[in-house]
Amino acid sequence: IAMAMATWYHRDISRVHAEDLLARAGRDGSYLVRDSESVPGAYALCLLFQRHVHTYRILPDADGLLAVQTTQGVQVNCFRTLEDLVLGYQHPHKGLVTPLLYAVPRDTDTGDESSGGPTICLFYPVYSTAGELIALLNDYLFTELPLDIENVHKGATTLCHLRRTLGTACQGLNRLMVRYGRQTVSVDVDTGVLLFDRKAGSFGIERVSHDRILQIVMFQSSPAKVRMVVDSHNNTPREMTFESARKRHAFCQLLQLMKTRHSQLRDPDVISVFVGTWNMGGSPPPRSLQSWVTCCGLGHTPDDSTALLPHDIYALGTQENPQGEREWTEHIKATLRSYTHIDFKQVAVQSLWNIRLAVFVKPEHESRISHVNTASVKTGLGNTLGRGCGAVGVSFLFNGTSFGFVNCHLTSGSEKVLRRNQNFVDILRLLSLGDKQLSAFDISLRFTHLLWCGDLNYRLDLDVQDILKHVSKREFEELMCADQLTRERHKRKSFLNFKEEKIAFPPTYRYERGSRDCYLWQKYKTSGVRVNVPSWCDRILWKSYPETHMICTAYGCTDDIFTSDHSPVFATFQVGVTSQFSFKTGASSKASRPFTEAKDWDVPRFLKLGWSFKQLPKLLPIMSDMEYLQDQHLLLSVKSCDGFESYGECCVALRSLTGASEQFETFLSHRGEEMGSIRGRVRVHVPKDRRGTREKTYDWFYFEKDDKGPVRGHMSPASTRVPINR
């Protein structure tokens, strides 16, 4: 009990989390003790000295006495308890690099309260009856507690069944409280009502229904601050300051869930998508994959209060997967069912050798899924072990929004950057996904949202010792400067116009199997020793049509799945989707019409092309409703007169081009390479009786920037420029 109360004892936190706490402490002699991740019953003493975290194992002997493993020649000191050990090593010359001086307390995530605003204080579950919770805990004590005890004896560092039970208990979570000193505001998702304490000196509760909230403003300069705009003219906007940006995001996520739940819409206009990638290394997976699909681990992870909320779509890509399709998909569905209590429906599964992609959807969305396609493509030279390079893909329509998912395994080896770039181009060109009528465009332009994951195998061009030093200090931005994929993207040689969330987790390859304590960067082969420097091989990127809603809400890796030398990587996205049909009936006889005009202009070293008004066709949309047209996009392909050679392709959004004649400019690309740019004007005619629109759920939230944002420059009409030297 005394040890549990010690501020320096952090129980089962990960090595990376411990190093992050010590780095924040910043003083030589700062220390903490955590449980060992690899040796049952052992501990790890983490000590900061000269900007480096030194980790010492604390092992029990046959008599239960504890000793610190130190360098040879130093006398071994044994202690009966951890408290005695810590007290003993607070004196100098005991074999450590420095005495234990400053205990680092457990991370309480205090945040900044200087603004005087309200601070988030509590998430709590609400049950229909107390008996439900008692029955849940009773089941755990009598059926699953013995399994947890057995796993601990086998070396497990987490109580997975207890964690799952608590997750199930939190399924009743539907209220959030925010405290203003003695005053509070609570958000009730079920009723769609916010309850505010009245000002000091008055009595009662002020009720604000969800439909009265006009806007939620989030500040870029203050990532934990929110301003709520309510329709009442008597009330000034309410400002709230949370403990952290993650807490703020959880608050906004619950508000959006409340807004969606009480909306009168027939179809959702925003959904949540999970994407995961994992090189399984040819080994069977652990019994539970819950930490992976709930984004529990390192990096940009969700708040505990929202981590267990089920996503609408799950797409899981694996490489070197030894399980068959049926066995693997049943494993995933069982994992999802264990904490969501939902039987997710399988959209599709596609395999190539041991590369596999499985996509699942909530049962309520099954009728919204259509036009499902699957495909695979081989790249490079496959081998008899089934570990060749290639890609698999799944595509479908979710109502009126097209999705493409790609999982790939690219060429390995630190020196094979160009071959990986070529693998990517081959997949773009040869993977046959999506609408067949769009065959003139590669897959990066066939979908509203394309999500790409896999073992991309791009490495870090840095000495292994320098990499380990930066990892120990959590200096990931310095490491990203040496990341091959980041460099190739900056040079526009690979994943052109794709996006990736900032990486805030350690390299996911190459770990020693069975733990995450160290990287096994030397590989012994008959031909000699091969060095595999720790690298971010496993990545998730995406590309969306312009002026669509796509926000990455989590990006990280697990720290408790040890069966492979890769850690599973996860990402979640908030995605705007459109209805399959317009809500209004009847068709307009008037057509929307885009047009361009030719204009002479000269740019050195560029080929000048132009079209007149009469050379371009009139486009007749299916519907002329403003709400429908604002969600549409034009795909343009610039070809030679014979129609075979393409100068490039692009996508133009109609959202900002409806109404008066509007100008646009965008880049042309072809097979993943930038080819030039195109400028022009579009005019879309919408009848007066069809110009009504409604606010999207995600438009409810507004980000306020520190500056005025980018200024929209003048764009010349109707010309294309292509570099002559292409």
Side-chain angles (χ1 to χ4, degrees):
I1 295 175
M3 187 179 73
M5 297 298 293
T7 60
W8 41 259
Y9 177 53
H10 292 244
R11 300 183 181 89
D12 60 349
I13 66 171
S14 68
R15 173 180 61 88
V16 175
H17 189 184
E19 292 173 353
D20 184 39
L21 292 175
L22 290 167
R24 279 191 267 166
R27 294 191 294 180
D28 284 354
S30 298
Y31 70 94
L32 59 85
V33 176
R34 60 177 175 84
D35 295 340
S36 172
E37 293 181 305
S38 56
V39 181
Y43 306 93
L45 172 62
C46 304
L47 178 60
L48 183 67
F49 182 66
Q50 294 183 352
R51 300 184 65 190
H52 180 72
V53 177
H54 299 263
T55 302
Y56 303 90
R57 275 185 175 175
I58 302 174
L59 299 173
D61 62 13
D63 298 324
L65 297 177
L66 299 173
V68 174
Q69 282 187 328
T70 57
T71 57
Q72 293 183 355
V74 177
Q75 180 181 356
V76 177
N77 297 306
C78 296
F79 301 88
R80 188 168 300 277
T81 66
L82 267 181
E83 292 79 9
D84 294 338
L85 184 148
V86 169
L87 288 173
Y89 281 99
Q90 289 178 354
H91 303 286
H93 311 301
K94 293 293 185 180
L96 306 185
V97 292
T98 185
L100 306 182
L101 301 177
Y102 311 106
V104 175
R106 286 186 287 272
D107 190 5
T108 56
D109 197 18
T110 54
D112 182 13
E113 300 181 5
S114 59
S115 65
T119 302
I120 185 171
C121 64
L122 177 67
F123 284 96
Y124 64 94
V126 179
Y127 299 92
S128 57
T129 64
E132 294 180 21
L133 179 59
I134 294 174
L136 192 65
L137 296 177
N138 187 69
D139 288 342
Y140 171 75
L141 291 174
F142 286 97
T143 61
E144 295 183 321
L145 177 59
L147 298 176
D148 272 343
I149 295 174
E150 180 184 354
N151 290 337
V152 169
H153 287 312
K154 291 180 179 179
T157 58
T158 58
L159 304 176
C160 62
H161 292 89
L162 176 60
R163 187 176 186 175
R164 185 164 55 205
T165 299
L166 294 177
T168 303
C170 288
Q171 292 301 307
L173 176 72
N174 68 348
R175 184 175 292 176
L176 165 68
M177 291 185 67
V178 183
R179 180 171 292 159
Y180 302 72
R182 294 183 180 180
Q183 301 177 59
T184 61
V185 55
S186 60
V187 182
D188 195 321
V189 174
D190 286 344
T191 62
V193 172
L194 281 71
L195 303 175
F196 288 90
D197 278 357
R198 294 199 181 274
K199 296 179 180 179
S202 60
F203 299 93
I205 297 293
E206 179 188 1
R207 297 171 60 88
V208 177
S209 61
H210 69 90
D211 55 345
R212 288 183 55 202
I213 303 173
L214 302 181
Q215 193 176 64
I216 302 295
V217 181
M218 291 175 281
F219 297 86
Q220 191 175 50
S221 57
S222 302
K225 186 177 179 182
V226 161
R227 178 187 296 150
M228 183 181 298
V229 181
V230 184
D231 62 356
S232 174
H233 296 292
N234 299 324
N235 293 329
T236 58
R238 296 169 170 85
E239 291 192 352
M240 293 173 280
T241 302
F242 294 84
E243 295 177 1
S244 64
R246 188 164 64 170
K247 293 288 187 183
R248 182 185 76 171
H249 175 73
F251 174 74
C252 293
Q253 188 174 355
L254 287 176
L255 284 182
Q256 181 165 291
L257 179 64
M258 177 183 71
K259 189 81 167 177
T260 302
R261 180 173 297 182
H262 295 275
S263 171
Q264 300 301 315
L265 296 178
R266 183 179 60 187
D267 293 316
D269 56 12
V270 61
I271 61 174
S272 180
V273 178
F274 171 94
V275 178
T277 180
W278 183 26
N279 186 319
M280 298 173 64
S283 297
R287 180 181 301 179
S288 175
L289 298 171
Q290 181 168 324
S291 62
W292 186 21
V293 295
T294 57
C295 302
C296 180
L298 309 174
H300 181 194
T301 58
D303 186 74
D304 292 341
S305 58
T306 56
L308 294 175
L309 292 175
H311 300 283
D312 297 284
I313 296 174
Y314 288 83
L316 295 96
T318 54
Q319 310 83 41
E320 300 185 27
N321 186 339
Q323 293 188 316
E325 282 188 358
R326 183 180 180 85
E327 183 183 9
W328 174 241
T329 54
E330 288 300 321
H331 192 135
I332 298 172
K333 291 172 69 175
T335 296
L336 295 176
R337 190 185 308 115
S338 69
Y339 81 93
T340 65
H341 304 287
I342 297 173
D343 284 315
F344 276 79
K345 300 299 182 180
Q346 180 176 309
V347 176
V349 59
Q350 179 69 13
S351 300
L352 172 68
W353 297 310
N354 286 350
I355 307 170
R356 194 153 294 134
L357 177 61
V359 180
F360 304 88
V361 68
K362 276 184 178 178
E364 65 201 68
H365 298 317
E366 190 174 18
S367 61
R368 299 184 173 105
I369 301 294
S370 64
H371 298 79
V372 178
N373 283 309
T374 61
S376 64
V377 61
K378 302 174 184 177
T379 63
L381 300 175
N383 58 41
T384 57
L385 296 178
R387 295 171 62 180
C389 300
V392 292
V394 172
S395 65
F396 54 85
L397 284 179
F398 186 102
N399 282 346
T401 301
S402 57
F403 283 87
F405 295 89
V406 176
N407 169 40
C408 68
H409 195 175
L410 306 186
T411 301
S412 63
S414 294
E415 71 286 353
K416 297 179 181 177
V417 179
L418 296 181
R419 186 174 296 179
R420 284 188 279 275
N421 292 351
Q422 186 60 49
N423 290 163
F424 168 72
V425 173
D426 291 342
I427 296 169
L428 276 185
R429 182 171 55 92
L430 300 174
L431 194 62
S432 180
L433 276 182
D435 191 340
K436 302 302 186 231
Q437 295 182 0
L438 300 179
S439 59
F441 303 88
D442 63 49
I443 60 171
S444 69
L445 285 173
R446 291 183 199 169
F447 308 104
T448 314
H449 305 289
L450 175 63
L451 299 108
W452 193 302
C453 69
D455 182 357
L456 307 187
N457 257 320
Y458 288 93
R459 308 301 174 92
L460 290 173
D461 286 331
L462 203 62
D463 180 76
V464 66
Q465 295 303 325
D466 290 333
I467 294 174
L468 296 175
K469 180 178 67 176
H470 285 302
V471 170
S472 69
K473 298 178 181 179
R474 296 184 61 81
E475 296 174 341
F476 300 138
E477 290 190 15
E478 288 83 350
L479 278 181
M480 288 304 295
C481 296
D483 175 60
Q484 291 177 347
L485 178 57
T486 301
R487 289 177 172 178
E488 295 305 298
R489 288 179 61 215
H490 285 167
K491 293 187 293 186
R492 308 179 77 78
K493 295 297 184 182
S494 187
F495 286 91
L496 178 67
N497 296 328
F498 277 74
K499 297 179 182 178
E500 183 181 21
E501 181 66 13
K502 180 180 178 181
I503 290 182
F505 53 92
T508 54
Y509 173 81
R510 181 180 186 252
Y511 279 108
E512 181 181 8
R513 296 179 192 238
S515 77
R516 285 301 177 261
D517 284 334
C518 63
Y519 290 100
L520 193 65
W521 49 272
Q522 289 180 314
K523 188 174 184 179
Y524 296 93
K525 306 180 72 174
T526 55
S527 57
V529 179
R530 178 179 176 180
V531 174
N532 287 299
V533 298
S535 300
W536 285 292
C537 292
D538 313 283
R539 310 287 275 269
I540 299 172
L541 302 96
W542 75 95
K543 183 180 180 183
S544 298
Y545 282 170
E547 300 191 47
T548 56
H549 182 76
M550 180 82 154
I551 297 176
C552 183
T553 54
Y555 192 29
C557 68
T558 65
D559 60 354
D560 63 350
I561 296 179
F562 309 142
T563 54
S564 172
D565 50 3
H566 292 251
S567 287
V569 172
F570 51 76
T572 59
F573 301 88
Q574 183 188 94
V575 186
V577 292
T578 61
S579 175
Q580 190 170 7
F581 304 103
S582 174
F583 294 106
K584 302 174 183 177
T585 59
S588 172
S589 59
K590 298 182 180 180
S592 302
R593 178 172 185 157
F595 73 96
T596 61
E597 296 175 342
K599 181 178 179 179
D600 293 334
W601 57 293
D602 295 309
V603 177
R605 297 180 58 79
F606 277 85
L607 178 65
K608 181 177 63 177
L609 303 172
W611 300 271
S612 68
F613 172 79
K614 296 180 180 180
Q615 289 177 299
L616 293 171
K618 177 191 294 186
L619 301 182
L620 301 176
I622 299 174
M623 300 178 186
S624 293
D625 299 83
M626 178 72 80
E627 186 170 324
Y628 170 80
L629 291 172
Q630 283 188 339
D631 290 327
Q632 304 309 306
H633 294 79
L634 297 178
L635 293 181
L636 307 179
S637 178
V638 181
K639 292 189 174 183
S640 60
C641 294
D642 55 22
F644 296 106
E645 182 182 355
S646 174
Y647 288 105
E649 303 86 42
C650 69
C651 178
V652 176
L654 291 187
R655 175 168 292 273
S656 61
L657 302 178
T658 52
S661 177
E662 294 288 346
Q663 300 169 332
F664 71 88
E665 179 178 18
T666 188
F667 290 101
L668 290 168
S669 64
H670 182 63
R671 294 183 179 177
E673 184 178 7
E674 187 176 319
M675 304 300 293
S677 66
I678 182 170
R679 301 181 182 188
R681 284 197 186 104
V682 172
R683 184 176 65 192
V684 181
H685 174 75
V686 182
K688 289 183 179 181
D689 61 338
R690 297 189 176 275
R691 294 177 184 175
T693 60
R694 61 176 177 84
E695 186 181 46
K696 305 287 188 180
T697 301
Y698 49 83
D699 290 335
W700 203 35
F701 299 90
Y702 172 75
F703 282 91
E704 185 171 289
K705 298 182 179 180
D706 302 329
D707 51 24
K708 297 181 180 179
V711 179
R712 187 178 181 183
H714 176 74
M715 292 176 286
S716 301
S719 295
T720 300
R721 55 176 182 169
V722 181
I724 296 175
N725 56 1
R726 289 286 186 181

